[in-house]
Amino acid sequence: MKDRGLERGAWMDKEHLLMTKIIIEGDFHDFQLYSGKFYLWTNQKTLNIYNWNKWMQQLTLIDRPIYLEPQPTEQLRVTLDDLAPFLERTLSFSESIYDSALFNHTLYFSDYTGFYRYSLVRKDAEKIRIWEQPVYSISLSPRGRMALSAGEAGLFEYLLSSYYYYEQLERQVATRVYQLNSYYASQAIWDHHDLIQSGRSQSELTYKTQFDEQKGQLHIMNSLPMTQLSDSLTSSVQEYLLPLSLNPPSMQDGLLFSFEMDQQNVKKNHLYRSKSVRLIEELPASLKSSSYSPDFLLVIPASPVFKVILQNEAILELPRQEIQKFRIYNRTRHYRNQLHVLLDESLTLYLFTEINR
């Protein structure tokens, strides 16, 4: 009999969703996962690049139990020393980095001297300044667009691809850089082709810039104040805590927990990939009007509780004030089942994979 949780078109349930929690101990600045490489800023001037696939393959060699109640979970705690065998290169920067993003094997970053790009494939690569304006937050859209939040200077877009173009040339401030509005912007979130920006506080959504896009031609329609924000989900949710181990597990001892709650065999992808599992960020302003597949995992970063919800039920809850930054990877097919969360003294990777039981 075919497993109901894995049938095409069937709704996923939490019994067939494995949550793998990998805790990397340390104080980090930023992180990204891109094209089989894991990019970890150990501080604002040092970027370590690890071979992600080799690391994941090594994890499959560790014999470990999996908790099945209240939902399938496993946990691993590692240090930078544990990741050393997978380190491919280290990049050093003379100035402290504000923010960074990866696109088409190019690193885009900003410091107090401006906004730069750096090729990750050319051996003779040098950092190239695109714009003299410091950028505090860089946001990539699933459609290959890049928003630049520049504080008092406002919100801008850097045209990554030649597919997109503006005819509103009066908005151009540098090569392929266009001003979207002059309102204070600390960060921006993409909503399809539109942008929702934050003011001086990143938790305060202030303006929504709406675009008309026709075959790559972009036209800014307006930038409207966000006078009303939808409330968080009103349906009741239940908190599910990860089972706790009696002793801190390590990568060397081969155990993710110090005891096992169930001896059933679980089959999962050896690279922690899952074609049917996808995380998406729920925007507060569109909460009531949006409709999603029931198998999507909704990431709701609203204060005071950061939630991941499956079919109106919370499968993960974290105190929002403890989170410095989080990333989901909706631009890639292989990593869109992952949530990475930066805390004060660790980086936690949540990998959600579909399993057979």
Side-chain angles (χ1 to χ4, degrees):
M1 181 177 180
K2 186 179 292 186
D3 191 312
R4 183 183 63 82
L6 300 178
E7 287 181 354
R8 183 179 298 274
W11 284 17
M12 183 184 304
D13 55 62
K14 62 186 180 67
E15 293 182 357
H16 296 92
L17 185 68
L18 172 66
M19 179 165 60
T20 300
K21 180 180 180 181
I22 303 175
I23 302 170
I24 306 175
E25 298 177 343
D27 186 11
F28 307 112
H29 173 65
D30 204 352
F31 55 93
Q32 290 183 67
L33 180 57
Y34 175 77
S35 191
K37 311 295 181 185
F38 183 57
Y39 295 81
L40 182 60
W41 292 89
T42 56
N43 55 57
Q44 287 185 277
K45 294 184 178 182
T46 306
L47 175 61
N48 285 353
I49 304 176
Y50 298 92
N51 190 311
W52 173 265
N53 292 339
K54 287 185 177 180
W55 181 27
M56 292 298 102
Q57 289 172 349
Q58 193 273 347
L59 292 184
T60 64
L61 302 178
I62 301 176
D63 185 21
R64 55 187 181 268
I66 295 176
Y67 284 94
L68 298 179
E69 297 295 338
Q71 67 189 68
T73 57
E74 59 180 355
Q75 179 173 303
L76 175 65
R77 187 178 295 271
V78 301
T79 65
L80 286 183
D81 290 339
D82 297 320
L83 297 182
F86 314 106
L87 179 63
E88 293 190 340
R89 60 191 294 204
T90 297
L91 299 178
S92 299
F93 296 80
S94 57
E95 307 297 342
S96 296
I97 302 301
Y98 292 152
D99 199 12
S100 64
L102 292 160
F103 183 83
N104 196 23
H105 301 283
T106 300
L107 173 69
Y108 294 87
F109 66 93
S110 177
D111 58 32
Y112 82 95
T113 65
F115 173 57
Y116 295 83
R117 71 173 184 265
Y118 180 89
S119 173
L120 295 170
V121 294
R122 296 185 56 177
K123 294 182 179 180
D124 59 345
E126 296 181 356
K127 70 174 187 178
I128 299 174
R129 185 159 63 179
I130 299 172
W131 188 27
E132 295 181 355
Q133 172 68 43
V135 172
Y136 303 109
S137 178
I138 304 171
S139 177
L140 278 173
S141 82
R143 292 172 168 83
R145 297 177 61 190
M146 177 180 283
L148 308 176
S149 300
E152 294 280 4
L155 184 64
F156 299 81
E157 178 172 2
Y158 174 66
L159 296 180
L160 287 167
S161 169
S162 59
Y163 176 76
Y164 293 110
Y165 64 97
Y166 283 97
E167 288 191 344
Q168 298 163 293
L169 298 180
E170 71 278 4
R171 293 181 176 270
Q172 186 169 358
V173 297
T175 302
R176 304 190 67 78
V177 179
Y178 291 80
Q179 182 155 28
L180 307 181
N181 64 58
S182 58
Y183 303 118
Y184 192 101
S186 59
Q187 72 172 12
I189 302 171
W190 287 98
D191 182 12
H192 302 287
H193 272 298
D194 297 337
L195 275 167
I196 299 175
Q197 70 193 73
S198 299
R200 297 183 183 276
S201 170
Q202 292 189 354
S203 61
E204 177 193 6
L205 302 180
T206 54
Y207 289 90
K208 182 172 184 177
T209 300
Q210 297 177 311
F211 297 82
D212 177 53
E213 189 274 332
Q214 299 291 335
K215 296 182 179 180
Q217 180 178 339
L218 300 171
H219 182 82
I220 301 172
M221 298 173 61
N222 51 54
S223 293
L224 301 176
M226 299 286 292
T227 55
Q228 292 183 345
L229 295 177
S230 299
D231 296 329
S232 300
L233 284 177
T234 56
S235 58
S236 60
V237 294
Q238 182 178 357
E239 180 178 4
Y240 290 106
L241 298 178
L242 284 173
L244 300 178
S245 59
L246 297 178
N247 301 304
S250 68
M251 195 168 181
Q252 289 81 8
D253 62 21
L255 293 178
L256 297 187
F257 291 103
S258 58
F259 59 91
E260 185 176 6
M261 297 177 64
D262 199 304
Q263 295 292 336
Q264 295 185 37
N265 291 326
V266 174
K267 296 180 180 180
K268 58 189 177 183
N269 185 277
H270 70 288
L271 289 177
Y272 289 93
R273 295 175 179 176
S274 186
K275 295 181 180 179
S276 59
V277 180
R278 180 178 181 181
L279 287 123
I280 58 174
E281 181 178 353
E282 176 69 284
L283 300 177
S286 60
L287 187 60
K288 294 182 179 179
S289 60
S290 298
S291 60
Y292 301 104
S293 164
D295 285 347
F296 283 174
L297 299 180
L298 296 185
V299 177
I300 302 180
S303 297
V305 180
F306 181 102
K307 302 175 184 177
V308 177
I309 290 180
L310 174 63
Q311 299 168 13
N312 289 338
E313 188 174 38
I315 61 173
L316 176 66
E317 294 191 344
L318 302 170
R320 185 64 179 92
Q321 70 273 13
E322 296 181 4
I323 298 175
Q324 296 183 8
K325 178 180 287 189
F326 73 93
R327 291 188 187 273
I328 58 175
Y329 301 92
N330 53 12
R331 294 187 57 252
T332 174
R333 180 165 53 94
H334 292 316
Y335 312 128
R336 62 186 185 182
N337 64 321
Q338 299 191 29
L339 165 68
H340 297 177
V341 179
L342 182 63
L343 305 173
D344 284 338
E345 297 181 351
S346 66
L347 171 62
T348 302
L349 317 180
Y350 293 95
L351 287 65
F352 298 90
T353 48
E354 200 171 22
I355 56 174
N356 285 309
R357 291 177 56 180

